[in-house]
Coordinates of all heavy atoms in Angstrom, one line a residue:
R1 N 106.5 129.2 87.2 CA 106.7 128.4 86.0 C 108.2 127.7 86.3 O 109.1 128.3 86.7 CB 106.9 129.4 84.8 CG 107.1 128.6 83.6 CD 107.1 129.5 82.4 NE 107.3 128.7 81.1 CZ 106.4 128.4 80.4 NH1 105.0 128.5 80.6 NH2 106.7 127.7 79.3
L2 N 108.2 126.4 85.8 CA 109.4 125.7 86.0 C 110.1 125.7 84.6 O 109.4 125.6 83.5 CB 109.1 124.3 86.4 CG 108.4 124.1 87.8 CD1 108.2 122.6 88.1 CD2 109.2 124.8 88.8
N3 N 111.4 125.4 84.6 CA 112.1 125.4 83.3 C 112.3 123.9 83.1 O 112.2 123.0 83.9 CB 113.5 126.0 83.5 CG 113.4 127.5 83.6 OD1 112.7 128.2 82.9 ND2 114.1 128.0 84.6
P4 N 112.5 123.5 81.7 CA 112.7 122.2 81.3 C 113.8 121.6 82.2 O 114.8 122.2 82.5 CB 113.1 122.2 79.8 CG 112.5 123.5 79.3 CD 112.5 124.5 80.6
G5 N 113.6 120.3 82.6 CA 114.6 119.6 83.4 C 114.5 119.7 85.0 O 115.1 118.9 85.6
E6 N 113.7 120.7 85.3 CA 113.6 120.9 86.8 C 112.6 119.8 87.4 O 111.7 119.3 86.7 CB 113.0 122.3 87.1 CG 114.0 123.5 86.9 CD 113.4 124.7 87.3 OE1 113.6 125.1 88.5 OE2 112.8 125.4 86.4
D7 N 112.9 119.3 88.6 CA 112.1 118.2 89.3 C 110.8 119.0 89.8 O 110.9 119.9 90.5 CB 112.9 117.8 90.3 CG 112.2 116.6 91.1 OD1 111.3 116.8 91.7 OD2 112.7 115.5 90.8
L8 N 109.7 118.4 89.2 CA 108.4 118.9 89.6 C 108.1 119.0 91.2 O 107.8 120.0 91.7 CB 107.3 118.2 88.9 CG 105.9 118.7 89.2 CD1 105.6 120.1 88.8 CD2 104.9 117.7 88.5
K9 N 108.2 117.7 91.8 CA 107.9 117.6 93.2 C 108.8 118.5 93.9 O 108.5 119.2 94.9 CB 107.8 116.1 93.6 CG 107.4 115.9 95.0 CD 107.5 114.5 95.3 CE 107.1 114.3 96.8 NZ 107.0 112.8 97.1
E10 N 110.1 118.4 93.7 CA 111.1 119.2 94.6 C 110.9 120.6 94.3 O 111.2 121.4 95.4 CB 112.6 118.7 94.3 CG 112.9 117.3 94.7 CD 112.7 117.3 96.3 OE1 113.1 118.2 97.0 OE2 112.1 116.2 96.6
S11 N 110.6 121.0 93.2 CA 110.3 122.5 93.0 C 109.2 123.0 93.8 O 109.2 124.1 94.3 CB 110.2 122.8 91.4 OG 111.3 122.4 90.8
L12 N 108.1 122.3 93.8 CA 107.0 122.6 94.6 C 107.2 122.6 96.1 O 106.8 123.6 96.8 CB 105.7 121.7 94.3 CG 105.2 121.8 92.8 CD1 104.2 120.7 92.6 CD2 104.5 123.1 92.6
L13 N 107.9 121.6 96.6 CA 108.3 121.5 97.9 C 109.2 122.8 98.3 O 109.1 123.3 99.4 CB 108.9 120.2 98.3 CG 108.0 119.1 98.3 CD1 108.7 117.7 98.4 CD2 106.9 119.1 99.3
E14 N 110.1 123.1 97.5 CA 111.1 124.1 97.7 C 110.3 125.5 97.8 O 110.6 126.4 98.6 CB 112.1 124.2 96.6 CG 113.2 125.5 96.8 CD 113.7 125.5 98.1 OE1 114.1 124.5 98.7 OE2 114.1 126.6 98.6
L15 N 109.3 125.7 96.9 CA 108.4 126.8 97.0 C 107.7 127.0 98.2 O 107.7 128.0 98.9 CB 107.4 126.8 95.9 CG 106.3 127.9 95.8 CD1 107.0 129.3 95.5 CD2 105.2 127.6 94.9
C16 N 107.3 125.8 98.9 CA 106.6 125.9 100.2 C 107.6 126.3 101.3 O 107.3 127.1 102.1 CB 106.0 124.5 100.6 SG 104.5 124.2 99.5
R17 N 108.8 125.7 101.2 CA 109.8 126.0 102.2 C 110.3 127.5 102.1 O 110.4 128.2 103.0 CB 111.1 125.1 102.0 CG 110.9 123.7 102.5 CD 112.2 122.9 102.4 NE 112.7 122.7 101.1 CZ 112.4 121.6 100.4 NH1 111.6 120.6 100.9 NH2 112.9 121.3 99.2
H18 N 110.4 128.0 100.8 CA 110.8 129.3 100.6 C 109.9 130.4 101.1 O 110.3 131.4 101.6 CB 111.2 129.5 99.1 CG 111.6 130.9 98.8 ND1 112.9 131.3 99.1 CD2 111.0 132.0 98.2 CE1 112.9 132.6 98.6 NE2 111.9 133.1 98.1
R19 N 108.7 130.0 101.0 CA 107.5 131.0 101.4 C 107.0 130.7 102.8 O 106.0 131.2 103.2 CB 106.5 130.9 100.3 CG 106.9 131.4 99.0 CD 105.8 131.9 98.1 NE 106.4 132.5 97.0 CZ 105.7 133.0 96.0 NH1 104.4 133.0 96.1 NH2 106.2 133.5 94.9
N20 N 107.7 129.7 103.4 CA 107.2 129.4 104.9 C 105.8 129.0 104.9 O 105.1 129.3 105.8 CB 107.5 130.4 105.8 CG 109.0 130.8 106.0 OD1 109.8 129.9 106.1 ND2 109.4 132.0 106.0
M21 N 105.4 128.1 103.8 CA 104.0 127.8 103.8 C 103.9 126.5 104.7 O 104.6 125.4 104.4 CB 103.7 127.4 102.3 CG 103.7 128.6 101.5 SD 103.5 128.3 99.8 CE 101.8 128.0 99.6
A22 N 103.0 126.5 105.7 CA 102.8 125.2 106.5 C 102.0 124.2 105.9 O 102.2 123.0 105.9 CB 102.1 125.6 107.9
A23 N 101.2 124.6 104.8 CA 100.3 123.8 104.1 C 99.8 124.4 102.8 O 99.6 125.5 102.8 CB 99.1 123.2 104.9
A24 N 99.8 123.6 101.7 CA 99.3 124.2 100.5 C 98.6 123.0 99.7 O 98.8 121.7 100.1 CB 100.4 124.6 99.6
S25 N 97.9 123.3 98.7 CA 97.1 122.2 97.9 C 97.4 122.5 96.4 O 97.5 123.6 96.0 CB 95.6 122.1 98.3 OG 95.0 123.3 97.9
V26 N 97.5 121.5 95.7 CA 97.5 121.5 94.3 C 96.1 121.0 93.8 O 95.8 119.9 93.9 CB 98.7 120.7 93.7 CG1 98.7 120.7 92.1 CG2 100.0 121.1 94.4
V27 N 95.5 121.9 92.9 CA 94.2 121.5 92.4 C 94.2 121.3 90.8 O 93.3 120.6 90.4 CB 93.1 122.5 92.7 CG1 92.9 122.5 94.2 CG2 93.4 123.9 92.2
T28 N 95.2 121.7 90.2 CA 95.4 121.5 88.8 C 96.8 121.9 88.3 O 97.5 122.6 89.0 CB 94.3 122.2 88.0 OG1 94.4 121.9 86.6 CG2 94.7 123.8 88.0
C29 N 97.2 121.4 87.2 CA 98.5 121.7 86.7 C 98.5 121.5 85.1 O 97.9 120.5 84.6 CB 99.6 120.7 87.2 SG 101.2 120.8 86.6
V30 N 99.1 122.2 84.5 CA 99.3 122.2 83.0 C 100.8 122.3 82.7 O 101.5 123.0 83.2 CB 98.7 123.5 82.3 CG1 98.8 123.5 80.8 CG2 97.2 123.5 82.6
G31 N 101.2 121.2 81.9 CA 102.6 121.2 81.5 C 103.0 119.8 81.0 O 102.1 119.0 80.7
S32 N 104.3 119.6 80.9 CA 104.8 118.4 80.4 C 106.1 118.1 81.2 O 106.7 118.9 81.9 CB 105.2 118.5 79.0 OG 106.1 119.5 78.8
L33 N 106.5 116.8 81.2 CA 107.7 116.3 81.8 C 108.7 115.7 80.7 O 108.2 115.0 79.7 CB 107.4 115.2 82.9 CG 106.4 115.7 84.0 CD1 105.9 114.4 84.8 CD2 107.1 116.7 84.7
Q34 N 109.9 115.7 81.0 CA 110.8 115.1 80.1 C 111.1 113.6 80.5 O 111.5 112.8 79.7 CB 112.1 115.8 80.1 CG 112.1 117.1 79.4 CD 113.3 117.9 79.4 OE1 114.1 117.7 80.2 NE2 113.4 119.0 78.6
K35 N 110.9 113.3 81.9 CA 111.0 112.0 82.4 C 110.2 112.1 83.7 O 109.9 113.1 84.3 CB 112.5 111.7 82.6 CG 113.3 112.5 83.6 CD 114.7 112.0 83.6 CE 115.5 112.9 84.6 NZ 116.8 112.5 84.7
A36 N 109.8 110.8 84.3 CA 109.1 110.7 85.4 C 109.3 109.5 86.1 O 109.6 108.4 85.4 CB 107.6 110.9 85.1
S37 N 109.2 109.4 87.3 CA 109.2 108.3 88.2 C 108.0 108.4 89.1 O 107.7 109.3 89.8 CB 110.4 108.2 89.1 OG 111.7 108.0 88.4
I38 N 107.1 107.3 88.9 CA 105.8 107.4 89.6 C 105.7 106.1 90.4 O 105.8 105.0 89.9 CB 104.7 107.5 88.6 CG1 104.7 108.7 87.7 CG2 103.4 107.4 89.2 CD1 103.8 108.8 86.5
R39 N 105.4 106.3 91.7 CA 105.2 105.3 92.7 C 103.9 104.7 92.6 O 102.9 105.6 92.7 CB 105.6 105.6 94.1 CG 105.6 104.4 95.1 CD 106.1 104.8 96.4 NE 105.5 106.0 97.0 CZ 104.4 105.9 97.7 NH1 103.9 104.6 98.0 NH2 103.8 106.9 98.3
L40 N 103.4 103.5 92.4 CA 102.1 103.0 92.3 C 101.5 103.1 93.7 O 102.1 103.0 94.6 CB 102.0 101.6 91.6 CG 102.7 101.5 90.2 CD1 102.7 100.1 89.8 CD2 101.9 102.4 89.2
A41 N 100.2 103.0 93.7 CA 99.4 103.0 94.8 C 99.8 101.6 95.7 O 100.0 100.6 95.1 CB 97.9 102.9 94.5
D42 N 99.8 101.8 96.9 CA 100.1 100.7 97.9 C 101.5 100.1 97.8 O 101.8 99.1 98.3 CB 99.1 99.6 97.7 CG 98.9 98.7 99.0 OD1 99.1 99.3 100.0 OD2 98.7 97.5 98.7
A43 N 102.4 100.9 97.1 CA 103.7 100.4 97.0 C 104.5 101.0 98.3 O 104.0 101.8 99.0 CB 104.5 101.1 95.7
N44 N 105.6 100.3 98.6 CA 106.5 100.8 99.6 C 108.0 100.9 99.2 O 108.3 100.5 98.2 CB 106.3 99.9 101.0 CG 106.6 98.5 100.6 OD1 107.7 98.1 100.0 ND2 105.7 97.5 101.2
R45 N 108.8 101.4 100.1 CA 110.1 101.6 99.7 C 110.9 100.2 99.4 O 111.9 100.2 98.6 CB 110.9 102.4 100.8 CG 110.4 103.7 101.1 CD 111.2 104.5 102.1 NE 110.6 105.7 102.6 CZ 110.5 106.8 101.9 NH1 111.3 106.9 100.7 NH2 110.1 107.9 102.5
E46 N 110.4 99.2 100.0 CA 111.1 97.9 99.7 C 110.8 97.2 98.4 O 111.4 96.3 98.0 CB 110.9 96.9 100.9 CG 111.4 97.3 102.3 CD 110.7 98.5 102.9 OE1 109.4 98.5 102.8 OE2 111.3 99.4 103.6
R47 N 109.7 97.7 97.8 CA 109.3 97.1 96.5 C 109.5 97.9 95.4 O 108.6 98.8 94.9 CB 107.8 96.7 96.7 CG 107.5 95.6 97.8 CD 106.0 95.3 97.8 NE 105.7 94.7 96.5 CZ 104.5 94.5 96.1 NH1 103.4 94.8 96.9 NH2 104.2 93.9 95.0
S48 N 110.7 98.1 94.9 CA 111.0 99.0 93.8 C 110.3 98.6 92.5 O 110.3 99.4 91.5 CB 112.5 99.0 93.5 OG 112.9 97.6 93.2
D49 N 109.7 97.4 92.4 CA 109.0 97.0 91.3 C 107.6 97.6 91.2 O 106.9 97.5 90.3 CB 108.8 95.4 91.2 CG 107.9 94.9 92.4 OD1 108.0 95.5 93.5 OD2 107.2 94.0 92.1
Q50 N 107.2 98.4 92.2 CA 106.0 99.1 92.3 C 106.2 100.6 91.8 O 105.4 101.4 92.1 CB 105.4 99.1 93.7 CG 105.1 97.7 94.1 CD 103.9 97.1 93.2 OE1 102.9 97.8 93.2 NE2 104.2 96.0 92.5
E51 N 107.3 100.8 91.2 CA 107.6 102.2 90.6 C 107.8 102.2 89.1 O 108.4 101.3 88.5 CB 108.9 102.7 91.3 CG 108.9 104.2 91.4 CD 110.2 104.7 92.3 OE1 110.0 104.6 93.4 OE2 111.2 105.0 91.6
L52 N 107.0 103.1 88.4 CA 107.2 103.2 87.0 C 108.2 104.3 86.6 O 108.1 105.4 87.1 CB 105.9 103.5 86.3 CG 104.7 102.5 86.6 CD1 103.5 103.0 85.9 CD2 105.1 101.2 86.1
H53 N 109.0 104.1 85.6 CA 110.1 105.1 85.2 C 109.9 105.3 83.7 O 109.9 104.4 82.9 CB 111.4 104.5 85.5 CG 111.8 104.2 86.9 ND1 112.1 105.3 87.9 CD2 111.7 103.2 87.6 CE1 112.3 104.8 89.0 NE2 112.0 103.5 88.9
F54 N 109.8 106.6 83.4 CA 109.6 107.0 82.0 C 110.7 108.0 81.6 O 111.0 108.8 82.4 CB 108.3 107.7 81.7 CG 107.1 106.9 82.1 CD1 106.6 107.0 83.4 CD2 106.5 106.0 81.2 CE1 105.4 106.1 83.7 CE2 105.4 105.3 81.5 CZ 104.8 105.4 82.8
D55 N 111.3 107.8 80.5 CA 112.3 108.7 80.0 C 111.9 109.1 78.5 O 112.5 108.7 77.5 CB 113.7 108.0 79.9 CG 114.9 108.9 79.8 OD1 114.6 110.2 79.8 OD2 116.0 108.5 79.5
E56 N 110.8 109.8 78.6 CA 110.2 110.3 77.3 C 109.3 111.6 77.7 O 109.1 111.9 78.8 CB 109.4 109.3 76.6 CG 108.2 108.9 77.5 CD 107.4 107.7 76.9 OE1 106.8 108.0 75.9 OE2 107.4 106.6 77.5
K57 N 109.1 112.4 76.7 CA 108.2 113.5 76.9 C 106.7 113.1 77.3 O 106.2 112.2 76.6 CB 108.2 114.4 75.7 CG 107.4 115.7 76.0 CD 107.6 116.8 75.0 CE 106.9 118.1 75.4 NZ 107.2 119.2 74.6
L58 N 106.3 113.6 78.4 CA 104.9 113.2 78.8 C 104.1 114.5 79.2 O 104.6 115.4 79.6 CB 105.0 112.3 80.1 CG 105.8 111.1 80.0 CD1 106.0 110.6 81.4 CD2 104.9 110.0 79.3
E59 N 102.9 114.4 78.7 CA 101.9 115.6 79.1 C 101.3 115.3 80.4 O 100.8 114.1 80.7 CB 100.9 115.6 77.9 CG 100.1 116.9 78.0 CD 100.9 118.0 77.5 OE1 101.9 118.0 76.8 OE2 100.5 119.2 77.9
I60 N 101.3 116.3 81.3 CA 100.6 116.1 82.5 C 99.0 116.3 82.4 O 98.6 117.3 81.8 CB 101.2 117.2 83.6 CG1 102.6 117.0 83.9 CG2 100.3 117.1 84.8 CD1 103.2 118.0 84.6
T61 N 98.3 115.3 82.6 CA 96.9 115.4 82.4 C 96.2 115.7 83.8 O 95.0 116.2 83.7 CB 96.3 114.1 81.8 OG1 96.6 113.0 82.7 CG2 96.8 113.9 80.4
S62 N 96.8 115.4 84.8 CA 96.3 115.7 86.2 C 97.3 115.8 87.2 O 98.2 114.8 87.2 CB 95.2 114.7 86.5 OG 94.7 114.8 87.8
L63 N 97.2 116.7 88.2 CA 98.1 116.7 89.3 C 97.3 117.4 90.4 O 96.8 118.5 90.3 CB 99.4 117.7 89.1 CG 100.4 117.7 90.2 CD1 100.9 116.4 90.6 CD2 101.4 118.7 90.0
V64 N 97.2 116.5 91.5 CA 96.4 117.1 92.7 C 97.2 116.6 93.9 O 97.9 115.6 93.9 CB 95.0 116.7 92.7 CG1 94.2 117.2 91.5 CG2 94.9 115.0 92.8
G65 N 97.0 117.3 95.0 CA 97.6 116.8 96.3 C 97.8 117.9 97.3 O 97.3 119.0 97.1
T66 N 98.5 117.6 98.2 CA 98.8 118.5 99.4 C 100.4 118.6 99.5 O 101.2 117.7 99.2 CB 98.3 118.0 100.7 OG1 98.7 116.8 101.0 CG2 96.7 118.0 100.6
L67 N 100.7 119.8 100.0 CA 102.2 120.1 100.2 C 102.3 120.9 101.4 O 101.5 121.5 101.9 CB 102.8 121.0 99.1 CG 102.7 120.4 97.6 CD1 102.9 121.5 96.7 CD2 103.7 119.4 97.4
G68 N 103.5 120.7 102.1 CA 103.8 121.5 103.3 C 105.2 121.4 103.7 O 106.1 120.8 102.9
S69 N 105.6 121.9 104.7 CA 107.0 122.0 105.2 C 107.6 120.6 105.5 O 108.8 120.4 105.5 CB 107.1 122.9 106.4 OG 106.3 122.5 107.4
D70 N 106.7 119.7 105.8 CA 107.1 118.3 106.2 C 107.0 117.4 105.1 O 107.1 116.1 105.2 CB 106.3 117.8 107.3 CG 104.8 117.7 107.0 OD1 104.3 118.4 106.1 OD2 104.1 117.0 107.8
G71 N 106.7 117.9 103.8 CA 106.6 116.9 102.6 C 105.4 117.2 101.8 O 104.7 118.2 102.0
G72 N 105.0 116.2 101.0 CA 103.9 116.2 100.2 C 103.3 114.9 99.8 O 103.8 114.0 100.0
H73 N 102.0 115.0 99.4 CA 101.4 113.8 98.9 C 100.7 114.2 97.7 O 99.6 115.0 97.6 CB 100.3 113.4 100.0 CG 99.7 112.1 99.7 ND1 100.1 110.8 100.1 CD2 98.6 111.8 98.9 CE1 99.4 109.9 99.6 NE2 98.4 110.5 98.8
L74 N 101.2 113.7 96.5 CA 100.6 114.2 95.1 C 100.2 113.0 94.4 O 100.8 111.8 94.6 CB 101.9 114.9 94.4 CG 102.3 116.2 95.0 CD1 103.7 116.6 94.3 CD2 101.2 117.3 95.0
H75 N 99.3 113.2 93.6 CA 98.8 112.1 92.6 C 98.9 112.8 91.2 O 98.4 113.9 91.0 CB 97.3 111.9 92.9 CG 97.1 111.1 94.2 ND1 96.9 109.8 94.1 CD2 97.2 111.5 95.5 CE1 96.7 109.4 95.5 NE2 97.0 110.4 96.3
I76 N 99.5 112.0 90.3 CA 99.7 112.6 89.0 C 99.3 111.5 88.0 O 99.3 110.4 88.3 CB 101.1 112.9 88.7 CG1 101.4 113.7 87.4 CG2 102.0 111.7 88.7 CD1 102.7 114.4 87.3
S77 N 98.7 112.0 86.8 CA 98.4 111.2 85.6 C 99.1 111.9 84.5 O 99.1 113.2 84.4 CB 96.8 111.3 85.4 OG 96.2 110.6 86.4
V78 N 99.7 111.0 83.6 CA 100.4 111.6 82.5 C 100.0 110.8 81.3 O 99.5 109.6 81.3 CB 101.9 111.5 82.7 CG1 102.4 112.4 83.8 CG2 102.4 110.1 82.9
A79 N 100.3 111.4 80.1 CA 100.0 110.7 78.8 C 101.1 111.0 77.8 O 101.7 112.0 78.0 CB 98.7 111.2 78.3
N80 N 101.3 110.0 77.0 CA 102.5 110.2 76.0 C 101.8 110.6 74.7 O 100.6 110.5 74.4 CB 103.4 109.1 75.8 CG 102.7 107.7 75.4 OD1 101.5 107.7 75.3 ND2 103.4 106.7 75.3

């Protein structure tokens, strides 16, 4: 369980590092966020206009993906 204000992705990656997990998957998630930055599909680091920023309470409706010691690839859907 995460506390309010904790970074979702970083917390999941830290869990993998702490438990020496080479690979893990996320198949579901229940919760909310106080703010979010979401990179759109096909975006790259040079195109900051392809990132959405929310500073409001959001309900997580879906979170799936893979995690590992070398990073993660997550897909999230949120609703206000």
Side-chain angles (χ1 to χ4, degrees):
R1 182 174 180 100
L2 302 181
N3 294 312
E6 289 186 87
D7 185 286
L8 175 62
K9 184 177 179 182
E10 286 305 314
S11 295
L12 291 172
L13 290 171
E14 177 57 31
L15 175 67
C16 288
R17 286 189 291 269
H18 178 73
R19 296 200 176 180
N20 296 316
M21 299 168 77
S25 62
V26 177
V27 295
T28 190
C29 176
V30 174
S32 62
L33 301 169
Q34 294 175 340
K35 61 182 178 178
S37 294
I38 301 172
R39 187 174 57 88
L40 300 175
D42 203 32
N44 58 45
R45 295 182 194 281
E46 291 78 35
R47 297 185 60 195
S48 60
D49 63 329
Q50 297 294 304
E51 206 170 278
L52 301 176
H53 300 279
F54 301 94
D55 194 8
E56 61 184 292
K57 187 167 183 174
L58 300 166
E59 195 70 27
I60 299 170
T61 58
S62 174
L63 178 66
V64 298
T66 57
L67 300 163
S69 55
D70 60 343
H73 184 94
L74 299 170
H75 291 255
I76 191 169
S77 296
V78 295
N80 61 358

